[in-house]
């Protein structure tokens, strides 16, 4: 490169930086609309919630480590398992996956930012405030107490007096608003902001998995929002949606909840599948085997996931023919999962796998997920389910799928993408220790629960009598939970050490093939100097090849390129918004409305005024922004 072009590139970079950089300091932090800053913040917040819910799990395991223990009383225990389950599901598992996608998807498709960046900021604040609210409620002894599934009539006005369940139901609305915002942004980003040339057949599998996940969020979350809003109105203003004696129906809650709740576990699991594909591809050093089959399997899983919810309700006495249908559907979903596992194994088999920490976590996933999947097929059979329903067998099963199926791939992905997020590498040596502690600790904790369940120990009990043969498995499980805690602590230490190290990771330390690695690590505020142009499914392979770029986007305005949905042909340019404070203020106003409405229905009426003001200010048209029309 000549001196003149180098100098020109440097000038371009400065111009881009001036256009895209946030304001310095606290104001910049509060007003940012950069998907990377918001995504990173989202990931960190979700991990904090994971640790808090994990501490609650530890307290429960201490209580259950021996029979007739008095460490926690029944009321405290009820609140703890309800908080643990709700926080893990609503505030950790779904948000952390979406958070990683908020960071990675725009980079993987070669865009300058996520679509609707202010909505993205709004989503984060709503999520944060909802999470803070539920923890404050818990500390003030108004934490949830009816389990993460909040069944009526237990959660209704007669059996859960006080405000505990109202806070819980409102927290759900908060987190689902946040999740829906992100889902919409991701769908729009994936369908209309892909780099030119990234046709449907060239989309990275993680991006595909997030498209399916987001569509599932859009279909599933409204059910639980409607359900929890009915619950609030039953409790607050005397509607009778769930009250059978007044013509309501308690089973309506279970249908609404599980119509969301079953897809929810796939909403957690699907991004994990995408993460595994990314990791397996990079570390096998070959394109993924069976790409088309993988994409079809993702869609099949997403579709089938909506036909299974009744398998959570086998014990409610529904007609046997209906039950058989849901049994068959539940078993069928093992097929697309099996297809994916075989494709990964084929990729590893025919590639030259390098066993790094991310790949170790994927191998751990294979072992644990197969076990969790098998117990899943077992409980899908009605006769067996009727025996183990509400026992520790189920607790073992769902922790195997949730932790084995989602947390293990997530840990792998955090190791894999950490250099992208921070520009530093996590230590492989500590990572191996962490993996083995997690893997062993996990099995020590949860394997004995299968046996406990088969011996008849019910879930959600704060203690048990001695002499039933439950003492030893419980003690082993409790010891295991400390090993998991040690592993999580080691991860935290690894992160701190990596952040303090001065050694840069380099732009593409793993030799990965997707566009996310075509820019620096961490990327600049504008992501890419020029829009990358894609000619194959693995645009960065072979690693020494030059990446084609498309020039023409303005450097002095926040412009994004819109491309067509199937062929990714350049269509038009689009002005993305500047940073602003209104998403934060709107989220605050909405929080006021939600919390106020827990105490009085008038909160909805008066609380709507600040929301309307904030939204009006947010959407007030700016004269200074010239319209860009359909300029090419
Ligand atoms: C990290 C180690 C973990 C430990 C030691 C642990 C332990 C426990 C314990 C002791 C219970 C209560 C069992 C009962 O009394 O019925 C429980 C319930 C539950 N856990 Fe975990 N857990 C862990 C991680 C997770 C994760 C990562 C998730 C989700 C992603 C999760 C989701 C749940 C759910 C949904 C419940 C049911 C709550 C309810 O009954 O309403 N757990 N867990
Ligand atoms: Cu299910």
């Amino acid at each position: 490169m000549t001196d003149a072009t180098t100098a020109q590139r440097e000038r371009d970079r400065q111009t881009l930086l001036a256009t895209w950089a946030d304001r310095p300091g606290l104001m910049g932090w509060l007003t940012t609309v950069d998907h990377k800053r918001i995504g990173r913040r989202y990931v960190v917040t979700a991990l904090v919630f994971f640790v808090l819910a994990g501490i609650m799990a530890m307290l429960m395991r201490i209580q259950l480590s021996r029979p007739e223990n008095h460490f926690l009383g029944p009321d405290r225990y009820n609140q703890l398992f309800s908080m643990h389950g709700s926080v893990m599901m609503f505030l950790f598992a779904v948000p952390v996956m979406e958070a990683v996608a908020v960071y990675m998807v725009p980079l993987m498709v070669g865009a300058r930012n996520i679509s609707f960046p202010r909505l993205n900021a709004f989503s984060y604040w709503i999520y944060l405030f909802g999470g803070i609210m539920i923890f404050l409620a818990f500390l003030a002894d108004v934490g949830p107490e009816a389990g993460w599934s909040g069944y009526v009539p237990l959660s209704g006005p007669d059996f859960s007096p006080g405000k505990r369940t109202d806070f819980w139901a409102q927290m759900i609305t908060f987190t689902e608003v946040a999740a829906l915002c992100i889902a919409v942004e991701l769908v729009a980003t994936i369908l209309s902001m892909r780099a030119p040339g990234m046709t449907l057949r060239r989309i990275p599998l993680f991006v595909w998995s997030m498209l399916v996940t987001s569509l599932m969020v859009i279909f599933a979350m409204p059910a639980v929002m409607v359900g929890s809003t009915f619950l609030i109105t039953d409790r607050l203003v005397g509607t009778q949606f769930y009250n059978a004696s007044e013509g309501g129906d308690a089973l309506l809650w279970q249908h609404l909840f599980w119509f969301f709740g079953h897809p929810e576990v796939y909403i957690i699991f699907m991004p994990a599948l995408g993460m595994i594909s990314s990791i397996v591809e990079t570390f096998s050093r070959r394109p993924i085997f069976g790409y088309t089959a993988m994409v079809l399997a993702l869609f099949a899983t997403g579709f089938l996931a909506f036909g299974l919810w009744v398998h959570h309700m086998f014990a409610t006495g529904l007609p046997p023919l209906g039950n058989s249908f849901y049994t068959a559907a539940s078993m069928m979903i093992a097929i697309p999962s099996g297809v994916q596992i075989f494709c990964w194994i084929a990729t590893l088999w025919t590639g030259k796998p390098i066993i790094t920490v991310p790949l170790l976590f994927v191998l751990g996933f294979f072992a644990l997920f197969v076990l969790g999947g098998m117990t899943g097929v077992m409980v899908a059979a009605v006769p067996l389910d009727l025996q183990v329903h509400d026992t520790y067998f189920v607790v073992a099963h769902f922790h195997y799928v949730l932790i084995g199926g989602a947390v293990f791939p997530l840990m792998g992905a955090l190791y894999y993408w950490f250099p992208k997020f921070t520009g530093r590498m996590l230590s492989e040596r500590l990572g191996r220790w962490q993996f083995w502690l997690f893997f062993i600790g996990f099995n020590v904790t949860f394997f004995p629960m299968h046996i406990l369940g088969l011996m008849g120990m019910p879930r959600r009990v704060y203690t048990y009598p001695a002499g039933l043969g439950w003492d030893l498995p419980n003690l082993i499980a409790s010891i295991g939970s400390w090993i998991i805690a040690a592993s999580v602590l080691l991860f935290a230490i690894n992160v701190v050490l990596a952040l303090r190290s001065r050694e840069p990771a380099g732009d593409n330390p793993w030799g990965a093939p997707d566009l996310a690695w075509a820019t620096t690590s961490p990327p600049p505020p504008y992501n890419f100097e020029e829009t990358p142009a894609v000619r194959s499914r693995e645009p960065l392979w072979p690693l020494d090849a030059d990446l084609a770029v498309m020039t023409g986007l303005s450097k002095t305005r926040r412009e994004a390129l819109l491309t067509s949905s199937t062929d990714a042909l350049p269509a038009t340019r689009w002005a993305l918004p500047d940073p602003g404070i209104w998403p934060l203020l709107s989220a605050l106003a909405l929080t006021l409305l939600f919390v106020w409405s827990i105490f009085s229905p008038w909160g909805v009426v008066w609380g709507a005024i600040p929301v309307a003001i904030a939204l009006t200010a947010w959407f007030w048209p700016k004269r200074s922004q010239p319209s860009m029309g359909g300029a090419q």
Side-chain angles (χ1 to χ4, degrees), residues 177-193:
V177 169
L180 278 169
C181 294
I182 298 190
V184 170
E185 294 155 20
L186 287 175
V187 170
T189 308
I190 297 170
L191 291 184
S192 64
M193 293 174 75

Side-chain angles (χ1 to χ4, degrees), residues 103-110 198 204 206 275 278-279 281-283 285 358 412-425 505-524 527-528 532 538-541 543 545 547:
Y103 195 104
M104 290 309 298
V105 165
L107 290 170
M108 282 182 143
V109 301
M198 189 182 281
F206 177 68
M275 292 168 174
S278 289
I279 294 173
E281 181 168 66
T282 298
F283 294 106
R285 293 285 180 260
L414 290 178
Y415 273 87
Y416 177 55
W417 282 321
F418 193 81
K420 183 77 336 206
F421 296 167
T422 64
R424 298 286 180 275
M425 295 293 270
D507 291 351
N508 188 2
W510 307 113
D514 60 83
L515 287 184
W517 302 94
T519 177
T520 55
S521 299
N527 287 358
F528 301 93
E538 290 83 25
L540 301 195
W541 280 353
L543 284 171
L547 184 70

Side-chain angles (χ1 to χ4, degrees), residues 258 261-263 265-266 305 308-312 330 397:
W258 289 115
H262 185 82
V265 298
Y266 285 85
L308 310 186
W309 79 95
V310 176
H311 68 200
H312 295 270
S330 306
H397 156 69

